[in-house]
Amino acid sequence: MKRIIFSLLVSILWVAGAEAQKYIKVRLYGGTNPYAITEWNNWDVNTATSPAYIYSDGSISTVTGVLTGAFAIGDNGATYGSASTNPMAPLEVLRYVSDLSVNRSLTLHGLSADKTYNLELYASRYNNSGNSTQFVINGVSQAVATYQNFTNKASFTSLAANASGQIVVSIEKLNTYLYINGFTLTEISTPPPPPATGDGWSLSGNDATAAQFIGTKNNVPLLFKTNNVSQMRITTGGEVQVKKLKVTQTGWADYVFEPHYKLRPLSEVEKFINKHGHLPEVPSAKEVTTEGLNVGDNQAVLLKKIEELTLYMIEQNKKLEVQGKEIKVLQRQAKSKKK
């Protein structure tokens, strides 16, 4: 009888490296004079809910913002801060400011539970000396004196999203007015620590120390079994075959059904499609090809599009019902004139 020798190389994959950081930079304005730097998002706060923000590297995030309160925009002037040598943000960002005389909030949606965040908030106004804006997150507050302020910003570090995938910022006035010009959100992904000795895989009662990969030799697919039944298979071509895939995801898209959510006009969606060749917030074919696709984030985006489509259909149905009633009235009027 022939003896078949099977070899399985077992280890734990761990990639050493510093924290990976991505940035979302947002400038508030009123719809005129957008900042022509792609690194910054121009959020026209006449719309309470922003579109999905773009990372500073040009990729699309799942993060959106909701700003409560009236959306007055002040213009500090085209030359505002020109004498400042080291401003906290580009002067184009500090030029426009959203002001209010009552407290309000900024909520960032679509954040990940497996990441931490730093948040800088900018508040600066050319007039109304003596005013300060207080930003509060999770009970921690920071106040900024806003009069001709070019250097002092509110800065929060190591923030975690809540169970709904949100960070909520309370914006409070300490005097007559509160102000906000924009913000920078830093997304931090921390690699896992290296495995300790004895934390490796166990085969035949022996601990395998941490090495570089887990795999098979000789072009053989890798099988994962429980109770001697194959549950998952990684083919030599890189395909993962599994019966079911469960992803634990935060930042689900049900906020689309909240009363404050601002649905894009279909005309705006059409312009975006004609210009970019894909739906807003949905990654392009090029992005998927070069960067891959996060399954959980993509499912959240697809659900958001389905929910938005449902809202469009409800809105269209209401219009059709009104038109149907109007047609019936016109038909009755036409019949009465013939008699």
Side-chain angles (χ1 to χ4, degrees):
M1 185 176 73
K2 293 183 179 180
R3 177 185 296 178
I4 299 175
I5 300 175
F6 176 76
S7 175
L8 176 65
L9 303 179
V10 182
S11 64
I12 294 177
L13 175 65
W14 177 69
V15 180
E19 296 173 333
Q21 297 185 357
K22 301 186 74 172
Y23 303 91
I24 294 174
K25 301 182 178 183
V26 180
R27 177 236 203 189
L28 275 56
Y29 81 127
T32 59
N33 298 320
Y35 187 25
I37 300 295
T38 55
E39 185 179 1
W40 285 82
N41 294 267
N42 288 289
W43 180 8
D44 181 355
V45 292
N46 289 303
T47 302
T49 301
S50 76
Y53 296 129
I54 308 297
Y55 288 113
S56 58
D57 63 7
S59 59
I60 301 175
S61 78
T62 60
V63 182
T64 59
V66 176
L67 185 64
T68 63
F71 304 113
I73 281 287
D75 186 354
N76 287 325
T79 61
Y80 182 62
S82 57
S84 177
T85 58
N86 189 27
M88 57 186 165
L91 298 181
E92 292 83 354
V93 175
L94 301 182
R95 173 177 177 178
Y96 290 103
V97 59
S98 180
D99 58 80
L100 203 60
S101 59
V102 296
N103 295 342
R104 66 200 310 189
S105 66
L106 168 68
T107 303
L108 300 176
H109 295 267
L111 306 177
S112 299
D114 59 350
K115 295 180 174 64
T116 58
Y117 298 88
N118 297 340
L119 181 61
E120 293 181 354
L121 299 122
Y122 313 118
S124 181
R125 185 60 166 143
Y126 84 99
N127 64 354
N128 296 327
S129 61
N131 283 284
S132 292
T133 302
Q134 181 168 259
F135 299 96
V136 184
I137 302 178
N138 297 331
V140 178
S141 62
Q142 296 186 28
V144 176
T146 56
Y147 179 59
Q148 296 189 12
N149 169 43
F150 305 112
T151 57
N152 296 322
K153 58 194 175 185
S155 183
F156 298 86
T157 60
S158 301
L159 299 173
N162 62 23
S164 299
Q166 303 169 341
I167 290 177
V168 181
V169 184
S170 296
I171 309 174
E172 303 172 354
K173 66 170 187 172
L174 296 183
N175 308 95
T176 306
Y177 295 102
L178 55 80
Y179 302 101
I180 179 170
N181 306 73
F183 58 88
T184 295
L185 180 72
T186 305
E187 177 185 284
I188 303 171
S189 300
T190 305
T197 302
D199 287 343
W201 294 69
S202 178
L203 293 177
S204 301
N206 297 319
D207 288 338
T209 58
Q212 294 179 339
F213 61 88
I214 177 172
T216 61
K217 288 183 175 181
N218 302 324
N219 208 28
V220 178
L222 178 62
L223 301 179
F224 292 82
K225 294 185 177 183
T226 57
N227 295 330
N228 207 33
V229 177
S230 179
Q231 303 295 339
M232 186 173 76
R233 173 188 179 98
I234 301 178
T235 71
T236 55
E239 295 181 358
V240 177
Q241 300 173 357
V242 63
K243 293 179 180 178
K244 292 183 180 181
L245 176 64
K246 183 176 181 180
V247 178
T248 301
Q249 178 73 13
T250 60
W252 213 230
D254 287 348
Y255 58 83
V256 170
F257 294 139
E258 295 178 2
H260 62 254
Y261 184 76
K262 184 70 173 180
L263 194 63
R264 286 174 184 247
L266 281 173
S267 58
E268 183 179 323
V269 176
E270 181 184 14
K271 289 179 181 178
F272 187 96
I273 293 172
N274 292 337
K275 181 178 180 180
H276 300 283
H278 59 88
L279 284 171
E281 305 170 54
V282 176
S284 66
K286 181 179 179 181
E287 289 173 319
V288 174
T289 301
T290 57
E291 300 178 16
L293 192 68
N294 184 303
V295 175
D297 290 346
N298 188 61
Q299 287 298 310
V301 171
L302 293 179
L303 174 64
K304 182 177 181 181
K305 295 297 128 184
I306 293 172
E307 292 180 344
E308 288 179 337
L309 179 60
T310 302
L311 291 178
Y312 287 126
M313 293 176 64
I314 292 173
E315 183 178 321
Q316 194 69 20
N317 185 62
K318 290 180 179 178
K319 292 180 180 179
L320 290 174
E321 288 179 346
V322 172
Q323 291 175 354
K325 292 178 181 178
E326 292 174 346
I327 291 172
K328 289 182 179 179
V329 170
L330 292 173
Q331 288 174 339
R332 286 197 297 266
Q333 291 175 350
K335 287 182 180 180
S336 63
K337 287 181 180 179
K338 289 181 181 179
K339 292 181 178 179

